[in-house]
Amino acid sequence: MHVFLCDFLLDIAQNSLEADSTLVQILISETPESIRFRIEDNGKGMSEETQKKVTDPFYTDGVKHKKRKVGLGLPFVIQTGKDFSLNSSLGKGTVVQFSFDLTDIDVPPLGDLPSTILAIFSGAPDDCDVVVTREISSTHGDSGYKVSRSSLIEALGELRTAGSQNLARQYLDGLEEDLKPYFSEHVFRIPE
Amino acid sequence: MAKITLEELRKLRQKKQDDLQKRDIAGKDCQIIVGMGTCGIAAGAKVVLDAFLKELDAEKIENVAVTQTGCMGLCYVEPTVEVVVPGMPDTIYGRVDADVARKIVKDHIVGKKLITDHIYDRPSVDIMKNGGK
């Protein structure tokens, strides 16, 4: 099981990066009660038959790993999250959406979002752009930011080396830092 | 940390590249590949990836390529990391945490020594402690 909510995002985003996509769009939308993730790609998609099977932890297409018999990414999300949906069409792409209840004490903490975005950007294939939209709304107001892999590569030349990645992290940390005034303290429900 | 703009980022990069050209530094053509499958992520691979970047930054090593791959088939010793250094055998380390990541930078990349306790694949079996089990 994953330790941070960011790990779920990274895990599911990896699927999009490996699906021959040229554009992956990620939306992270947070309120004091919940956080919603939406990951949309224009990759190879899945047939309806495959879509029915992928939520089974013991299903894998066996192409990447012949010996491994488990596929745990989506089952992990379904186990911990809520409002899970998967829409895919063969050859067109896939949209995966899921939320977490931030008032539930069993839901893991968010984790380090800037370094997760960096990991998704640096792990993407060369010809794939990734656009992340981060939204936050609380009693302190609404805010957010939008950042794309292509804009960072344009500024840094590349995202392969440690030097560029450390600069990119500084930039991403700054974006998240600006949202701090909008953070709210999560009040946990007491289980009955 | 103060927020920086894309324009400032561009200038910072330019400055670092100018510095780079002035000295012949460690890390040239080295590659660190972190296994980022579900198994790796669940075992803390992203913490390891962060630790590598921070340690490389602390050691002022800019030009090591840090990349990711899926599951390497060694789920039982995740997080796994492949380290490629010219003149040394390609090495797959397992059970890597933030401390081991720092050690890999200091001993393997800078010091050119293998960390035998954590080798699970690639160099000949006699180098691996317990034959990689």
Side-chain angles (χ1 to χ4, degrees):
Chain A
M1 178 53 70
H2 296 326
V3 181
F4 297 112
L5 297 185
C6 278
D7 294 341
F8 292 89
L9 168 66
L10 179 59
D11 196 346
I12 302 307
Q14 297 280 5
N15 295 342
S16 290
L17 300 179
E18 288 175 13
D20 307 327
S21 312
T22 55
L23 178 65
V24 177
Q25 298 179 82
I26 297 171
L27 173 71
I28 305 152
S29 190
E30 187 180 347
T31 69
E33 291 83 32
S34 75
I35 186 161
R36 188 166 71 91
F37 295 93
R38 183 179 194 276
I39 298 128
E40 176 176 6
D41 69 60
N42 62 354
K44 59 188 168 192
M46 287 176 278
S47 68
E48 289 203 8
E49 203 186 329
T50 309
Q51 285 178 61
K52 278 182 200 146
K53 293 184 199 156
V54 287
T55 51
D56 177 350
F58 298 105
Y59 173 75
T60 152
D61 63 9
V63 174
K64 220 172 96 183
H65 305 286
K66 288 191 180 64
K67 285 185 190 162
R68 200 182 67 184
K69 299 291 180 218
V70 290
L72 287 173
L74 290 171
F76 274 2
V77 168
I78 293 164
Q79 193 177 42
T80 313
K82 56 171 195 165
D83 306 329
F84 173 83
S85 78
L86 170 75
N87 292 295
S88 185
S89 67
L90 208 56
K92 285 189 182 149
T94 301
V95 186
V96 180
Q97 297 189 74
F98 49 92
S99 311
F100 296 97
D101 180 357
L102 297 176
T103 67
D104 181 346
I105 201 150
D106 290 329
V107 165
L110 177 61
D112 187 343
L113 190 56
S115 82
T116 304
I117 298 173
L118 177 64
I120 295 169
F121 282 0
S122 65
D126 288 343
D127 57 351
C128 178
D129 195 12
V130 184
V131 182
V132 175
T133 310
R134 161 91 157 118
E135 292 171 351
I136 186 163
S137 105
S138 70
T139 49
H140 312 290
D142 299 345
S143 189
Y145 58 82
K146 195 171 182 176
V147 59
S148 70
R149 179 175 186 262
S150 55
S151 67
L152 282 182
I153 289 182
E154 202 260 318
L156 293 167
E158 43 86 21
L159 265 182
R160 228 176 107 77
T161 61
S164 307
Q165 288 183 34
N166 275 313
L167 284 174
R169 179 215 292 277
Q170 266 185 47
Y171 175 73
L172 294 167
D173 277 343
L175 293 177
E176 191 66 22
E177 184 79 21
D178 268 13
L179 298 188
K180 276 227 168 124
Y182 302 91
F183 286 4
S184 38
E185 208 168 297
H186 300 304
V187 181
F188 295 114
R189 268 183 300 109
I190 309 292
E192 283 166 25
Chain B
M1 188 182 297
K3 192 184 171 183
I4 50 173
T5 64
L6 278 176
E7 194 45 50
E8 285 162 340
L9 200 62
R10 195 169 289 131
K11 282 178 192 147
L12 277 169
R13 174 67 181 160
Q14 194 53 49
K15 192 181 164 293
K16 282 208 171 184
Q17 285 203 316
D18 292 345
D19 289 349
L20 251 170
Q21 280 166 357
K22 284 179 200 145
R23 57 205 166 104
D24 187 24
I25 45 156
K28 202 165 173 285
D29 302 322
C30 293
Q31 208 179 344
I32 296 172
I33 307 155
V34 183
M36 279 281 186
T38 300
C39 48
I41 295 170
K46 202 179 68 61
V47 175
V48 169
L49 185 74
D50 292 348
F52 271 117
L53 288 175
K54 281 188 181 138
E55 187 62 21
L56 289 165
D57 198 36
E59 294 275 335
K60 300 206 183 327
I61 302 170
E62 306 277 332
N63 51 359
V64 169
V66 182
T67 56
Q68 296 161 45
T69 184
C71 169
M72 299 188 206
L74 299 167
C75 305
Y76 61 106
V77 288
E78 289 288 351
T80 50
V81 175
E82 181 171 0
V83 183
V84 181
V85 174
M88 289 179 75
D90 293 358
T91 309
I92 292 184
Y93 289 112
R95 298 192 205 280
V96 179
D97 58 16
D99 283 340
V100 178
R102 284 188 277 273
K103 220 170 156 188
I104 290 172
V105 172
K106 283 203 174 83
D107 294 355
H108 190 132
I109 302 217
V110 179
K112 310 278 184 237
K113 276 188 303 213
L114 298 175
I115 299 143
T116 48
D117 307 359
H118 287 273
I119 297 175
Y120 285 92
D121 205 357
R122 286 295 157 84
S124 57
V125 179
D126 55 353
I127 299 178
M128 297 190 250
K129 280 199 176 162
N130 312 321
K133 293 287 184 297

